[in-house]
Amino acid sequence: MSARRPAPAHEIPRLAVEELFGDPVRAGASISSDGTRVAYLAPWRDRLNVWVESLDSDEEPRCVTADDNRSVQTFHWTDDPRWLLYEQDGDGDEMWHVYRVDLDDPAAEAVDLTPFPGAMALGFETVLSRPGKAFLHLNTRNPAEFDLHELDIATGELTVLAQNPGQASGWLSTPDGDLYAQTLTPDGDFQLARWDTSAGATGELRPVATFDGADYPLGIQPFELTPDGTGVWLGSNRNSDRTRLVRLDLATGEETGVDSHPVLDLDTRSIVFPALPSPLIRNDYTGALLGARYLGERQVIHALDPHFAAVLPHLERLSDGDLAAVSCDAAGRRWVAVFSHDRDPGATHLYDHSTGESRLLYRPYPHLDPEVLAPMTPVMIPARDGLRLPAYLTLPVGVDPAGLPTVLLVHGGPWFRDSWGYHPVVQLLANRGYAVLQVNFRGSTGYGKAFLKAGIGELAGRMHDDLIDAVGWAAERGYTDPDRVAVFGGSYGGYAALVGVTFTPDVFAAAIDACGPSNLATYLGTLPEFARPGLINNWYLYAGDPSDPEQKADLLARSPISRVDRVRTPLMVVQGANDVRVVKAESDRIVEALRDRGVEVEYMVKDNEGHGFVNPENNIDMYRAADRFLARHLK
């Protein structure tokens, strides 16, 4: 698609919330190993399910899953054309199960391959060296410890390959059967260790390499075994501010540079949201490393394979967006390319490198006219201490960009980042006439180690100052009416919204908190067992450990619940009842405290959702309510 100038204001229609937050007609396509079929997500009974379509015949696409309770989000081709696998949890509880679909028997029901109540399957990957097999991590033995299992896809048989000794956070298995564990030391450092069973069946971990845990608040990404099993490709910032791609030798522990960018980090956003593109582009069926992704204002891809270097220019010519998900058949002949774009989301193309031919497979939201949507512009904002804050500004189409009501939209994490692309909430707000400001405050990932660590100890401090400085920047430049500013966010962004109305109550005319913690000490005390070990490098390092009385007192001082007496801003709170990360009590607590003081609070709870809503009717309800709430308070 070529760039088009947005339409004048008088031609801009008012977009319905359903148009922006309803299900796509199709999404998430990937190609089979033989290149003859694509699988994708599309609605069935108002839920996204997996469909399969032939690329070389006029057969009607076939829906191969039948989940009418909750949309499917993740699926996997296997090396056997008969089997397709998908993952599903229960109403947002994050207890993920792996299901198998028989593509040869349309009448057969999906089979739950991990039917263990209260347990979750993580780290699913097919095994190139063992056809018909897959690895996954299961915590059936101990909720806090994941053991490595091998799954026989056809029979469903599970075999324990390694029992977690207590500190392993992930496992690797080489084609020769050697096992390696990624472990966490008591000091929070990451170690790669070989699982040595020579001394007995229980095994012993022998360290290969150690990484400073403080450099990786969410773990090392990527961390992937090379196809020959002799090394690991990983994102390293050892002795560097930037995260680059290296190969670690499993025999010696030595790192060898594979690729880097002079000013950008590898794009590691998928460690938070696995649906986002991996920093490594690989052939799923051969394991070959094809390319690496870096992310600044926009994406940069480095081709690391000669064949992919020849293919990449052809793919990039298909759209003026950024190449997102990309898959190819085993031979690297046929390619399915999905593109990120601020105004043409998810356009998906098929490209045949043997013929040079390409065609558009679908646009997920064909009813959305790119000319009606608002462009997202990268900007750089100076903080009060001189730190430069990368940000994105979206202005309503065809409107004089002066004195606008403005929404400060704060990303979650906080170990994440905002990036260029399509965001339905941004487009809803811009369509209603708001300027939208998204700020990568200190502590955000993707801008180097120093920028990340500038957030240590700064929750409700300089991290929040960065947001306030961004609002001041927009007002000084005339974009924003300082009397009509709202703060809106989810997870950490919800916490930031609550901090906004408790620590800086004069800045905001309205606030929306979606599943944000109101009390940092109680929030950290209710996180699930499996998440506790990693806290040493993120929440405990950046905010504090509630087991230490002095740090607990500081956590409370940085918590919105400690300053409810300062709130006078209208507040909307949204919560999933099944949220295992920020439990419902965190929202109940702030709502009750404010209502007891007579402060206006609009509270929405969805009983069949967790940390972030999935079902479209719930998202539509939420954003309809948010639309009304902001219109009422920002006038």
Side-chain angles (χ1 to χ4, degrees):
M1 172 195 139
S2 60
R4 288 181 282 183
R5 186 174 63 187
H10 66 273
E11 297 178 11
I12 299 300
R14 181 181 176 87
L15 296 173
V17 172
E18 294 88 339
E19 294 181 81
L20 294 164
F21 294 95
D23 278 336
V25 296
R26 294 189 182 191
S30 66
I31 196 166
S32 62
S33 61
D34 60 5
T36 63
R37 294 177 295 176
V38 290
Y40 56 88
L41 300 174
W44 177 81
R45 294 189 180 177
D46 298 323
R47 295 292 182 261
L48 292 179
N49 276 270
V50 184
W51 295 65
V52 173
E53 180 178 22
S54 171
L55 290 172
D56 299 315
S57 75
D58 294 329
E59 291 179 30
E60 287 294 314
R62 180 162 61 95
C63 185
V64 300
T65 64
D67 196 323
D68 58 4
N69 179 59
R70 191 166 180 82
S71 290
V72 177
Q73 301 175 68
T74 306
F75 64 87
H76 313 270
W77 285 107
T78 70
D79 52 25
D80 186 332
R82 179 177 178 180
W83 308 118
L84 185 141
L85 307 179
Y86 71 98
E87 299 172 36
Q88 186 60 286
D89 73 344
D91 288 334
D93 62 5
E94 300 192 39
M95 295 297 174
W96 297 102
H97 289 226
V98 176
Y99 293 83
R100 185 190 66 206
V101 173
D102 188 344
L103 297 182
D104 289 349
D105 185 357
E109 293 186 357
V111 176
D112 185 353
L113 299 176
T114 55
F116 309 112
M120 63 175 65
L122 296 178
F124 177 91
E125 60 176 325
T126 53
V127 185
L128 298 172
S129 60
R130 291 179 58 74
K133 309 289 186 181
F135 291 147
L136 50 85
H137 302 73
L138 282 168
N139 61 344
T140 52
R141 181 182 53 82
N142 183 330
E145 297 175 1
F146 287 84
D147 302 328
L148 179 66
H149 292 69
E150 183 180 70
L151 169 68
D152 186 299
I153 295 170
T155 67
E157 181 181 359
L158 283 165
T159 303
V160 178
L161 299 182
Q163 181 173 300
N164 197 322
Q167 67 268 39
S169 58
W171 296 89
L172 299 171
S173 178
T174 72
D176 295 333
D178 294 330
L179 296 177
Y180 292 82
Q182 188 181 139
T183 67
L184 197 63
T185 71
D187 294 329
D189 289 336
F190 291 103
Q191 278 190 344
L192 179 64
R194 188 174 186 276
W195 183 247
D196 186 357
T197 57
S198 60
T202 56
E204 180 180 352
L205 291 172
R206 300 187 181 277
V208 174
T210 303
F211 309 87
D212 186 345
D215 292 345
Y216 304 93
L218 298 180
I220 300 172
Q221 168 80 345
F223 198 89
E224 300 183 18
L225 191 71
T226 60
D228 62 7
T230 64
V232 174
W233 288 311
L234 60 88
S236 174
N237 55 30
R238 196 191 300 273
N239 302 320
S240 169
D241 187 56
R242 296 293 172 184
T243 300
R244 64 196 183 280
L245 179 60
V246 304
R247 179 189 179 278
L248 183 140
D249 190 285
L250 287 175
T252 66
E254 294 182 1
E255 291 183 14
T256 304
V258 175
D259 190 60
S260 64
H261 190 284
V263 296
L264 302 181
D265 280 352
L266 280 172
D267 179 7
T268 60
R269 293 171 300 158
S270 61
I271 198 170
V272 178
F273 293 108
L276 291 172
S278 166
L280 302 186
I281 300 173
R282 300 181 66 176
N283 184 316
D284 292 335
Y285 305 110
T286 67
L289 178 62
L290 307 179
R293 301 176 191 270
Y294 299 87
L295 190 62
E297 292 180 352
R298 295 278 300 270
Q299 177 182 256
V300 175
I301 291 178
H302 287 178
L304 304 177
D305 169 87
H307 179 67
F308 185 62
V311 168
L312 182 59
H314 296 277
L315 298 180
E316 292 182 327
R317 279 197 287 270
L318 298 174
S319 168
D320 61 351
D322 289 347
L323 181 63
V326 58
S327 62
C328 64
D329 58 25
R333 180 174 71 92
R334 279 181 156 176
W335 299 74
V336 170
V338 183
F339 287 89
S340 295
H341 197 287
D342 58 348
R343 293 177 297 115
D344 189 21
T348 300
H349 299 256
L350 176 69
Y351 168 68
D352 189 321
H353 192 60
S354 64
T355 65
E357 296 177 348
S358 63
R359 60 184 169 95
L360 178 69
L361 290 177
Y362 60 82
R363 293 178 65 231
Y365 305 96
H367 55 280
L368 293 179
D369 182 354
E371 293 188 10
V372 170
L373 301 181
M376 185 178 183
T377 303
V379 295
M380 190 67 70
I381 298 173
R384 65 190 67 179
D385 62 358
L387 188 67
R388 290 165 58 80
L389 307 173
Y392 294 90
L393 177 66
T394 302
L395 298 171
V397 175
V399 174
D400 182 20
L404 296 170
T406 297
V407 178
L408 176 68
L409 194 62
V410 187
H411 71 68
W415 304 282
F416 192 60
R417 59 157 288 176
D418 282 312
S419 53
W420 183 86
Y422 174 75
H423 303 273
V425 63
V426 172
Q427 294 299 334
L428 173 67
L429 295 169
N431 183 258
R432 298 303 189 257
Y434 303 105
V436 185
L437 189 57
Q438 298 168 270
V439 185
N440 286 306
F441 46 85
R442 70 193 68 205
S444 301
T445 55
Y447 297 99
K449 196 158 55 176
F451 190 89
L452 170 71
K453 291 186 173 182
I456 293 175
E458 297 298 341
L459 272 77
R462 291 181 181 175
M463 290 168 71
H464 186 64
D465 290 344
D466 291 346
L467 300 177
I468 302 304
D469 292 347
V471 172
W473 172 89
E476 288 169 7
R477 277 153 183 76
Y479 298 119
T480 292
D481 177 351
D483 293 327
R484 294 191 294 161
V485 179
V487 58
F488 186 173
S491 195
Y492 173 84
Y495 164 79
L498 295 177
V499 168
V501 299
T502 52
F503 284 71
T504 53
D506 295 329
V507 175
F508 300 107
I512 302 177
D513 151 40
C515 58
S518 62
N519 183 325
L520 293 175
T522 56
Y523 157 67
L524 293 173
T526 54
L527 282 168
E529 285 294 325
F530 65 84
R532 299 287 179 85
L535 294 176
I536 189 172
N537 292 322
N538 45 67
W539 284 104
Y540 290 173
L541 174 62
Y542 282 73
D545 182 348
S547 67
D548 180 303
E550 186 175 337
Q551 293 183 46
K552 183 176 182 179
D554 186 58
L555 284 167
L556 185 59
R558 296 174 186 271
S559 296
I561 198 68
S562 68
R563 298 193 178 204
V564 290
D565 59 321
R566 304 188 68 196
V567 178
R568 50 186 174 271
T569 305
L571 175 66
M572 176 178 169
V573 177
V574 181
Q575 178 72 42
N578 299 320
D579 194 335
V580 298
R581 297 174 183 264
V582 180
V583 297
K584 181 173 174 287
E586 289 296 316
S587 291
D588 290 344
R589 192 175 290 118
I590 194 79
V591 169
E592 291 167 6
L594 291 173
R595 285 180 173 171
D596 286 345
R597 292 186 55 250
V599 176
E600 178 185 350
V601 184
E602 185 173 329
Y603 192 21
M604 175 182 289
V605 178
K606 293 298 183 181
D607 291 336
N608 61 344
E609 295 287 3
H611 196 64
F613 292 177
V614 169
N615 293 329
E617 68 273 14
N618 291 331
N619 275 312
I620 289 167
D621 279 354
M622 172 187 172
Y623 287 105
R624 276 180 180 158
D627 189 11
R628 292 191 300 266
F629 178 83
L630 292 172
R632 185 163 66 251
H633 296 294
L634 297 190
K635 299 179 176 61

